[in-house]
Amino acid sequence: GDCRRPAEQHIQSGSRFLVVIFRPPLYKSRGQKPRQFFIMDVSTTSAIIAEAEQIRQRYKKLAPLDALEDEKDYKTIVHSIEPARLAAILKTKFSSDGMCKVGPAGLKEEQARIFFEVYGPNKITPPQKENKWIKLLRMAFCGIFNILLWMCVLAMTILLFAFDDSKQEVRAEAGIKPGSPGFNDTVIELDEAGGDDIVTPILLSVIIVATAMLQWYTEMLAEDAMEAMQKMQGDKPVPTVRRDSAGNRMSVQLSSEDLVPGDVVFLEAGDRIPADVRVLYCTDGMEVDNSALTGESMPEPRHSHTEKPSQPPTEARNLAFFGTTVLKGNATCVVHATGDNTFLGKIAQSIKTSYVKSTLEIQIEHFVHLIAVVAVVVGLASLICNVLDPQPHPIGYIIANAAGALFAQVPEGLIPTVTISLMIASQKMSACNVLVRKLDAVETLGCVSVVCSDKTGTLTKGDMTLRDMVFFKSKTEMEGMTDFSKTDPDDKKTLGSKMLRGSVRNNATVIDGSNKFIGSPTEVALMKAGVSSWGVKRVKDVMDQPTLYEIPFDSANKYMFVAEPYAEGGQLFSLKGAPERVLRFCKYVYVGSGDSGSIVEITPEIQQIIEQNCKTLMGQAKRVLGIAEKKANYDANYKWDGASMEYAKDNFLKDMVFVGLFGIQDPPKPGVKKAVEDCQDAGIKVIMITGDHPDTGVAIAKEISIIPNQDQLPKYTVITDKDLEGMVPSGETFEDGDSPEARKLEAFWKEVVVHARVFARVTPIHKQLIVQALQKWGGMQADGKAYGDIVAMTGDGVNDAPALKQANVGVAMGIRGTEVAKDAADIILLDDEFASIVVGIEQGRLSSENLQKSISYTLCSKVPQCVPNFMELAGIPLALNVSQVLAIDIGTDIWTAIAYAWQPKEDALMARKPRHPLVEKIVNVGVLFYAYFYMGMMQMCCCWFFYFTAPGIWSNVGKSNFTPEEEHTNKVASTLYYYTLVVGQISAAMATTTYHESLVKYMAPNHKLNICIVLEVLFALLIIFEPASEDIFQTTGLTLHQLLMPWVTFVGITVIEEIRKAMARKKAHAREVVHPDGGRPALQRRLLDAADSSSC
């Protein structure tokens, strides 16, 4: 439109407009020519686009010059910018004192709305989720084993329709008409080809789809549980100040998602920091908990001073980060980054989402390749044998018979067995507060050989706890107290009671409910000790005593002083803080008790004893505080408010009486030590990876048995950030090669992955590289080759997320865990208990073991199923037709195989070394030898034995044409073969329930398997005696004697198996699991070695 119309006309017409300022390049200096401006009409979209670009250009001023447009690292200089300039960049307003408590402050509402359009909601973009329906289709129709099964279904369907039409053609070509001689024989032979078996492909299809739906439903339940957990955490409104269009102050409560850069927010103790903020004002001694980002359990102080540009932003004391917590004090802050632009957001977006095959997928793929080769070989051999058979068969019969032999080698029950096994393991883990997000992770957890764990919040409680009170027992010795339940706040003489009462006189700590505390971690630790010992009411009685004078704790003084009225008259002064600061004001010390008669003067010897005990506590990675007191007798009308700080130091704090020392630490969780030892008994290394100080990590590691409790540790046991300098790859991951760097890294990390048990002061990227190194150079086997460790990584913080994603199994904490950590994990510990991992490992091993037993059972029948086809070449009438084979595979074996999913564990399950999926596969030589050449051969011999017990069958050997009576004899023999094989499979089902434990001891605890065995017998009897089934499966009724005799097979195979297992137990040598550091005795259980235990 007309760009030069007066602005008033635009305003009156309600048009949106931008003031465009233009200065010709010629006029660069001030005063030469005034800048020209004019008003343009623009659309709403154009205005927002233009404004958005201006905002982005201004926002770039908060980043260093080397920051890229799509910078992946967290780079900012906001900590080095003066508040006045920062306000100009963000188009916001601060008060001169930075508190912003009165007067206009913050963004204007209109500006905030535009910023929201540009920056979007203040939330981290979650990982892209697969559409649930596409996920269902992928589970049903993708996956190498499912593809193999669908190919079988397709082939069966093609054979069904192709040979249904070919029957008429075969009869026509042969000149055979209904009612003519040979018509019934031809019908029987064609029907044996399986052309009418429409039930088999339908049933197999239903099994595949139903199994996929089971897995899909289970994982959907886990996702729903995750979402419900996120909703329960809620979103506390954030006190914010903004300005209206007239510039007046507006105090509002905003959702954290509505915050934008430039918003001025108010934070207090206990608040979760809603965005990345710059501190404008804070109370002295303000502290934040950054453990979710850094892994360090110690609180970090904050101030409002401008930092130097050289200071890394993550170490700047005037910045606070999204997702961390205010522990102490309150602050006024300005938001400078939201959502994906925050430090937490940058880490979340940096996590790789590339798909990595699980160990189960690798195992299934290996098995499919193996079974495909076996099936094709058997199918081709059957085809060749039928072609070379002296008795000619129709082409349809030959192809269908070969296809049936091929299908018989495919264990159709594998996928449902796998899925149901993992579902059951998942349900058992859920009962132990372990949420499985991906079913495959259960099996992988069973293969884990290394558990890498964050320290804070995972191995430890995640909050500071009073663990020791140390005081003088005599002039030459101090003693410690760890049980505080015997103390009493009214006890004036016992030193333990005196110390604990003085510690809870802490006005900076607020009790919010019986188990909730707000304040600095150190003061909360002291308060919790009092509450757990005396109860809330008695602690509040102590806290509610009037305070006459107080010197609050600050980072400069490092002590806190309180004066209160004394019940017996006068005043009681108490001082607590850093031991060296407290001792500076102490002249005396209590020895033995807390009465006045036990006060002695501090001598150099006593001073040395105190210092030595301080070093002992510090050597245990404990935070040490000292406490002192004295009684005073100031006048009742003394003006305490008039006492200056200097006067108090010179008079109130003079000649204090030292009481004792506090040892405060973030302690290990109950049960962690036993869980670590259980892992080590199972051959699993536990490695601590922490961002905390090495001394803290080593002390906790010794306490929970990760490393031996000795002063001198072997080389490489503890690795720090300094050790890792120059030992990380220049790229994103380790690479093979002969370069000097590659050789240096390989030599270093090969030692580290074997010996290291504690990594301290490491960054999130270090954590990820440590997991990569274990996966690359760990897992050394007996052949001297490193196959890579199977690594489980546990953690709760954002700093753990890259490693959680890199690990074979990522395990996040459900309570303390950040959303970023949970999104990166495969398993969530809902109760945050490290011990739950042992439950998961046990269930993973059990599911793998049951899967191996199920496959072994299924394969046992394959030899007696395929041999009859080849025996036809020798003139022996066909002992087992295709319909009978499918009756065993689909009718009975598949359900029995699935029932193995409920099989209870054997005693020695957690005493074995981890099974490496690349070394000891689920389907290995041992399994194949057991199924094909041991159990399969016994079954086959028994089947042929009872086949030849059919009266008159020997006379039919070598014949090609049979009379009706001879046909009946063949049917009786075939039925005996089929029935004996069913009984043989029942014996195999019982035998394979244990590897080497006797059935006399183990019994039959799997009731579902027992039911399947009974149904298997009933189904076999139905096929034998039901007239309709006799026509379909070419069976005939048997006598009572013939029904009972094949059970000799069950007795014989069971007895032989018991003898084999007894011999194996007698001469078996243990797979000894030795503690890698030699700190604990070797496991003494005797088990089968790897080769023997890999077979059933």
Side-chain angles (χ1 to χ4, degrees):
D2 183 5
C3 299
R4 293 173 177 79
R5 278 195 298 158
E8 291 81 1
Q9 294 180 24
H10 290 273
I11 295 170
Q12 290 171 2
S13 66
S15 302
R16 288 185 61 88
F17 59 91
L18 288 177
V19 178
V20 181
I21 301 173
F22 171 74
R23 179 195 294 276
L26 181 62
Y27 304 101
K28 294 182 180 179
S29 61
R30 293 177 181 270
Q32 283 186 314
K33 188 172 182 179
R35 289 182 293 178
Q36 301 175 13
F37 69 93
F38 54 89
I39 300 172
M40 292 180 60
D41 284 336
V42 293
S43 67
T44 302
T45 304
S46 300
I48 292 175
I49 292 173
E51 180 72 10
E53 184 57 31
Q54 290 182 9
I55 292 169
R56 292 190 185 97
Q57 293 302 320
R58 283 199 308 273
Y59 194 74
K60 286 182 179 180
K61 296 178 181 179
L62 301 180
L65 296 176
D66 62 344
L68 303 175
E69 188 73 28
D70 57 346
E71 183 63 59
K72 294 181 179 179
D73 294 330
Y74 185 73
K75 292 184 177 181
T76 183
I77 56 172
V78 69
H79 57 289
S80 64
I81 300 176
E82 293 293 336
R85 182 164 176 260
L86 184 60
I89 294 172
L90 295 174
K91 297 191 75 173
T92 189
K93 185 170 184 164
F94 312 142
S95 63
S96 57
D97 60 1
M99 296 179 67
C100 302
K101 293 293 185 180
V102 294
L107 292 168
K108 283 190 174 182
E109 276 289 289
E110 177 63 23
Q111 189 67 45
R113 279 195 290 270
I114 295 174
F115 277 20
F116 189 84
E117 291 290 333
V118 174
Y119 296 111
N122 176 34
K123 63 179 182 180
I124 295 172
T125 305
Q128 188 173 3
K129 291 185 178 180
E130 184 179 20
N131 181 278
K132 62 181 181 180
W133 303 115
I134 294 177
K135 185 175 186 177
L136 176 59
L137 291 174
R138 176 177 57 78
M139 288 180 172
F141 296 100
C142 298
I144 189 166
F145 197 81
N146 275 3
I147 291 172
L148 178 63
L149 292 179
W150 282 118
M151 288 175 65
C152 289
V153 170
L154 181 63
M156 288 177 184
T157 306
I158 291 172
L159 287 173
L160 173 68
F161 290 103
F163 292 117
D164 186 61
D165 294 336
S166 68
K167 289 179 184 180
Q168 300 300 329
E169 296 175 8
V170 170
R171 294 168 189 149
E173 289 175 5
I176 300 173
K177 298 178 181 180
S180 63
F183 176 81
N184 290 332
D185 294 341
T186 307
V187 170
I188 290 170
E189 191 169 36
L190 289 170
D191 286 345
E192 285 179 354
D196 288 333
D197 190 12
I198 193 172
V199 176
T200 301
I202 292 176
L203 183 58
L204 192 52
S205 301
V206 170
I207 290 171
I208 299 169
V209 174
T211 301
M213 292 185 71
L214 275 175
Q215 182 177 355
W216 174 79
Y217 177 70
T218 304
E219 295 191 5
M220 286 296 101
L221 285 180
E223 290 299 322
D224 291 343
M226 277 282 294
E227 292 176 5
M229 199 162 47
Q230 292 170 2
K231 290 176 181 177
M232 286 174 60
Q233 293 178 347
D235 182 16
K236 181 182 176 182
V238 183
T240 311
V241 61
R242 283 182 177 175
R243 292 173 290 155
D244 59 20
S245 57
N248 299 317
R249 180 186 180 90
M250 294 174 56
S251 294
V252 293
Q253 296 282 333
L254 297 179
S255 167
S256 61
E257 289 191 9
D258 295 331
L259 295 176
V260 295
D263 268 328
V264 175
V265 298
F266 303 101
L267 304 174
E268 59 184 19
D271 284 350
R272 178 176 172 270
I273 296 171
D276 281 9
V277 298
R278 161 73 185 270
V279 180
L280 301 175
Y281 163 83
C282 66
T283 54
D284 193 24
M286 178 188 173
E287 293 179 343
V288 295
D289 177 12
N290 278 351
S291 60
L293 294 177
T294 64
E296 296 191 32
S297 57
M298 295 302 292
E300 296 186 14
R302 284 296 176 264
H303 59 66
S304 58
H305 312 306
T306 303
E307 298 270 11
K308 296 179 180 179
S310 59
Q311 182 81 351
T314 53
E315 298 177 10
R317 296 288 176 89
N318 62 357
L319 298 182
F321 302 101
F322 183 30
T324 60
T325 307
V326 180
L327 295 175
K328 180 181 176 183
N330 54 69
T332 303
C333 308
V334 59
V335 175
H336 70 85
T338 58
D340 292 339
N341 292 320
T342 61
F343 183 36
L344 189 150
K346 290 291 185 182
I347 295 178
Q349 299 306 313
S350 69
I351 299 173
K352 292 184 177 179
T353 57
S354 58
Y355 175 75
V356 179
K357 284 184 179 179
S358 68
T359 58
L360 181 62
E361 287 176 299
I362 295 172
Q363 297 291 294
I364 296 296
E365 188 172 315
H366 168 262
F367 175 64
V368 168
H369 290 157
L370 191 66
I371 211 67
V373 171
V374 173
V376 170
V377 169
V378 171
L380 288 176
S382 175
L383 181 68
I384 294 170
C385 289
N386 277 283
V387 170
L388 298 178
D389 190 351
Q391 180 180 354
H393 299 287
I395 186 65
Y397 173 87
I398 294 174
I399 295 176
N401 207 20
L406 186 148
F407 298 152
Q409 302 303 311
V410 179
E412 296 86 354
L414 176 63
I415 291 299
T417 303
V418 172
T419 302
I420 294 175
S421 293
L422 298 181
M423 282 180 60
I424 292 168
S426 172
Q427 290 168 1
K428 289 180 180 178
M429 291 165 70
S430 179
C432 299
N433 291 312
V434 181
L435 177 66
V436 179
R437 297 185 64 200
K438 291 174 60 181
L439 282 182
D440 286 5
V442 176
E443 194 276 338
T444 306
L445 201 56
C447 297
V448 162
S449 57
V450 174
V451 175
C452 295
S453 178
D454 179 43
K455 178 183 73 67
T456 306
T458 305
L459 297 174
T460 65
K461 291 183 177 179
D463 55 8
M464 304 300 284
T465 302
L466 178 62
R467 305 198 70 189
D468 301 276
M469 291 196 301
V470 182
F471 41 78
F472 275 92
K473 178 181 180 182
S474 65
K475 288 185 179 181
T476 58
E477 183 183 1
M478 295 184 80
E479 67 175 348
M481 174 186 283
T482 57
D483 181 8
F484 314 129
S485 61
K486 298 178 181 178
T487 61
D488 189 329
D490 298 326
D491 183 0
K492 304 291 193 299
K493 294 185 178 182
T494 305
L495 289 177
S497 299
K498 187 181 286 290
M499 287 182 67
L500 194 54
R501 186 195 181 281
S503 71
V504 300
R505 278 295 283 142
N506 179 356
N507 295 327
T509 302
V510 180
I511 299 179
D512 180 18
S514 59
N515 293 309
K516 296 182 180 179
F517 306 88
I518 299 174
S520 90
T522 301
E523 293 167 335
V524 166
L526 299 173
M527 184 61 62
K528 284 195 300 184
V531 170
S532 63
S533 301
W534 307 332
V536 176
K537 184 180 182 303
R538 299 189 75 186
V539 170
K540 281 193 172 183
D541 290 342
V542 175
M543 289 180 64
D544 291 342
Q545 292 292 320
T547 300
L548 302 173
Y549 187 85
E550 180 179 357
I551 301 176
F553 181 91
D554 64 37
S555 55
N557 291 329
K558 294 186 178 179
Y559 62 79
M560 176 186 181
F561 173 81
V562 175
E564 61 178 301
Y566 192 52
E568 299 175 3
Q571 298 84 31
L572 178 65
F573 294 169
S574 61
L575 174 71
K576 56 183 175 288
E580 66 277 9
R581 298 298 178 94
V582 171
L583 284 170
R584 184 184 301 173
F585 298 105
C586 292
K587 185 177 181 181
Y588 306 100
V589 62
Y590 285 112
V591 176
S593 71
D595 56 27
S596 57
S598 301
I599 298 175
V600 299
E601 190 170 350
I602 294 178
T603 63
E605 290 77 17
I606 289 177
Q607 179 90 13
Q608 186 176 0
I609 292 172
I610 295 173
E611 291 175 355
Q612 183 59 46
N613 277 270
C614 278
K615 289 181 180 178
T616 300
L617 291 172
M618 290 177 180
Q620 297 169 354
K622 294 172 182 172
R623 190 173 188 179
V624 183
L625 295 180
I627 186 170
E629 68 169 36
K630 77 172 183 180
K631 298 177 182 66
N633 195 22
Y634 283 81
D635 187 76
N637 297 320
Y638 182 79
K639 301 294 184 182
W640 296 96
D641 293 341
S644 67
M645 182 77 72
E646 292 303 318
Y647 179 85
K649 288 181 180 180
D650 294 337
N651 295 274
F652 299 163
L653 274 67
K654 185 179 180 181
D655 297 339
M656 299 290 288
V657 183
F658 184 79
V659 184
L661 299 170
F662 295 106
I664 300 172
Q665 187 184 45
D666 178 14
K669 291 180 179 178
V672 165
K673 178 180 171 67
K674 184 179 184 303
V676 170
E677 292 174 352
D678 287 345
C679 286
Q680 291 166 343
D681 285 346
I684 301 168
K685 291 189 296 186
V686 180
I687 298 175
M688 178 193 294
I689 306 179
T690 178
D692 222 333
H693 193 278
D695 291 345
T696 306
V698 168
I700 296 295
K702 287 181 178 180
E703 189 170 349
I704 60 178
S705 300
I706 289 180
I707 58 177
N709 191 9
Q710 58 191 48
D711 294 333
Q712 295 296 324
L713 295 171
K715 190 179 180 182
Y716 295 112
T717 301
V718 180
I719 304 294
T720 67
D721 55 338
K722 293 181 180 178
D723 298 318
L724 295 178
E725 289 180 3
M727 294 299 174
V728 296
S730 53
E732 292 185 357
T733 185
F734 295 99
E735 295 180 0
D736 296 321
D738 292 328
S739 65
E741 180 191 21
R743 289 197 299 270
K744 180 182 73 172
L745 292 179
E746 183 176 356
F748 173 77
W749 284 103
K750 276 187 173 180
E751 294 292 332
V752 168
V753 298
V754 173
H755 302 291
R757 294 295 178 272
V758 175
F759 290 87
R761 287 292 192 203
V762 295
T763 66
I765 299 304
H766 282 153
K767 290 187 177 186
Q768 187 176 12
L769 289 172
I770 291 165
V771 174
Q772 287 179 1
L774 288 164
Q775 292 171 331
K776 184 176 180 63
W777 288 297
M780 186 69 69
Q781 300 297 319
D783 58 4
K785 183 179 178 181
Y787 289 88
D789 281 310
I790 306 300
V791 182
M793 176 72 196
T794 70
D796 60 352
V798 178
N799 60 320
D800 302 317
L804 288 171
K805 197 70 179 179
Q806 178 67 44
N808 300 91
V809 183
V811 183
M813 303 294 123
I815 300 173
R816 283 179 52 92
T818 61
E819 294 308 314
V820 177
K822 293 174 189 175
D823 285 335
D826 305 300
I827 290 174
I828 311 293
L829 303 183
L830 300 179
D831 57 359
D832 284 11
E833 292 297 331
F834 178 83
S836 300
I837 295 174
V838 179
V839 176
I841 291 173
E842 182 177 69
Q843 290 301 322
R845 289 191 176 189
L846 179 60
S847 62
S848 296
E849 189 173 89
N850 287 344
L851 179 58
Q852 188 178 64
K853 291 175 180 178
S854 174
I855 293 172
S856 181
Y857 160 78
T858 305
L859 296 179
C860 285
S861 64
K862 301 310 175 186
V863 170
Q865 283 179 355
C866 68
V867 167
N869 286 327
F870 302 105
M871 295 300 287
E872 264 194 309
L873 291 175
I876 298 175
L878 184 62
L880 197 70
N881 59 49
V882 176
S883 296
Q884 292 168 347
V885 169
L886 293 176
I888 293 172
D889 286 351
I890 303 294
T892 56
D893 276 6
I894 188 171
W895 312 112
T896 308
I898 291 172
Y900 274 87
W902 284 273
Q903 197 66 27
K905 67 174 183 177
E906 295 182 57
D907 289 341
L909 178 66
M910 288 299 287
R912 302 189 185 112
K913 284 184 178 180
R915 177 183 61 82
H916 198 293
L918 297 180
V919 179
E920 297 180 58
K921 294 176 168 49
I922 289 178
V923 182
N924 50 44
V925 174
V927 171
L928 295 178
F929 183 88
Y930 178 91
Y932 286 115
F933 300 102
Y934 173 65
M935 185 63 71
M937 296 300 290
M938 284 195 294
Q939 286 184 349
M940 184 189 69
C941 291
C942 292
C943 287
W944 283 116
F945 176 82
F946 288 104
Y947 173 89
F948 285 111
T949 61
I953 188 63
W954 283 103
S955 62
N956 290 349
V957 175
K959 291 184 179 180
S960 58
N961 296 310
F962 305 100
T963 65
E965 292 77 13
E966 290 172 337
E967 279 291 352
H968 180 72
T969 298
N970 291 345
K971 277 189 177 183
V972 172
S974 177
T975 304
L976 280 168
Y977 191 100
Y978 161 76
Y979 184 64
T980 305
L981 181 53
V982 170
V983 174
Q985 277 297 87
I986 292 173
S987 61
M990 297 303 296
T992 53
T993 53
T994 66
Y995 284 134
H996 43 73
E997 192 171 333
S998 173
L999 286 178
V1000 177
K1001 177 184 176 183
Y1002 188 75
M1003 301 300 289
N1006 187 350
H1007 300 305
K1008 293 179 176 61
L1009 179 62
N1010 299 338
I1011 291 171
C1012 285
I1013 289 173
V1014 172
L1015 293 177
E1016 196 167 339
V1017 176
L1018 295 177
F1019 185 74
L1021 294 176
L1022 179 70
I1023 287 177
I1024 293 171
F1025 291 104
E1026 171 62 31
S1029 299
E1030 289 182 5
D1031 292 338
I1032 295 172
F1033 297 100
Q1034 298 302 303
T1035 57
T1036 188
L1038 301 176
T1039 65
L1040 180 61
H1041 180 266
Q1042 289 172 330
L1043 285 174
L1044 293 177
M1045 285 306 295
W1047 285 94
V1048 174
T1049 302
F1050 176 82
V1051 176
I1053 291 178
T1054 302
V1055 169
I1056 293 172
E1057 263 293 275
E1058 285 296 304
I1059 294 171
R1060 182 193 72 81
K1061 290 175 182 178
M1063 293 174 62
R1065 288 194 301 272
K1066 185 176 180 180
K1067 63 181 181 181
H1069 57 85
R1071 290 208 252 177
E1072 271 191 343
V1073 179
V1074 183
H1075 187 275
D1077 300 312
R1080 299 179 63 240
L1083 187 69
Q1084 298 300 317
R1085 299 182 186 180
R1086 308 289 292 176
L1087 306 169
L1088 291 176
D1089 60 13
D1092 194 25
S1093 67
S1094 64
S1095 68
C1096 296

